[in-house]
Amino acid sequence: QVQVVESGGGLVQAGGSLRLSCAASGSIFRINTMGWFRQAPGKEREFVSAITSSGGNTYYADSVTGRFTISRDNAKNTIWLQMNSLKPEDTAVYYCAAKIGSAYYSDERFYNYWGQGTQVTVSS
């Protein structure tokens, strides 16, 4: 089994920055790709970003490209999401997830393990 725990959410003004962290524990040898998803009130959960085990491949949703950066430290079993130039529409609960394979990185159905989520609120 794998556990993932997010941290780093909070309240920030538009244009500001936040850095989310996600630590994985347990049978982490099974994990290949880790990613971030978010869910705004009244909306479906959507893909934000993902990174493969080597860190060599990163993926972003169009809405965050150029503003968010995902990174990974396998020695610490941790990934981060640096969020810059935040907008009110970035307000959501952000979830960290981990999957065994590398394919379908943007499809939440293929992620095996999920964190509890962390709230990010961007005020205008």
Side-chain angles (χ1 to χ4, degrees), residues 19-36:
R19 189 189 195 202
L20 304 183
S21 300
C22 175
S25 61
S27 303
I28 56 176
F29 62 89
R30 305 181 67 193
I31 297 304
N32 181 300
T33 300
M34 295 185 71
W36 292 95

Side-chain angles (χ1 to χ4, degrees), residues 9-78:
L11 173 64
V12 65
Q13 289 187 332
S17 299
L18 279 175
R19 189 189 195 202
L20 304 183
S21 300
C22 175
S25 61
S27 303
I28 56 176
F29 62 89
R30 305 181 67 193
I31 297 304
N32 181 300
T33 300
M34 295 185 71
W36 292 95
F37 290 77
R38 66 186 183 186
Q39 187 168 22
K43 296 186 177 181
E44 295 186 350
R45 189 156 56 186
E46 64 176 4
F47 169 75
V48 176
S49 182
I51 187 167
T52 56
S53 59
S54 66
N57 293 316
T58 58
Y59 309 95
Y60 298 94
D62 290 343
S63 59
V64 306
T65 297
R67 299 188 298 122
F68 291 10
T69 302
I70 192 170
S71 58
R72 181 169 185 161
D73 185 335
N74 286 334
K76 297 181 179 179
N77 303 318
T78 299

Side-chain angles (χ1 to χ4, degrees), residues 87-124:
K87 305 175 182 180
E89 50 263 44
D90 294 317
T91 295
V93 176
Y94 283 70
Y95 296 90
C96 178
K99 64 193 304 290
I100 298 172
S102 59
Y104 308 108
Y105 56 85
S106 64
D107 190 332
E108 64 174 89
R109 297 174 298 173
F110 290 89
Y111 281 78
N112 308 96
Y113 309 102
W114 290 84
Q116 80 287 353
T118 185
Q119 177 70 46
V120 171
T121 302
V122 184
S123 63
S124 58

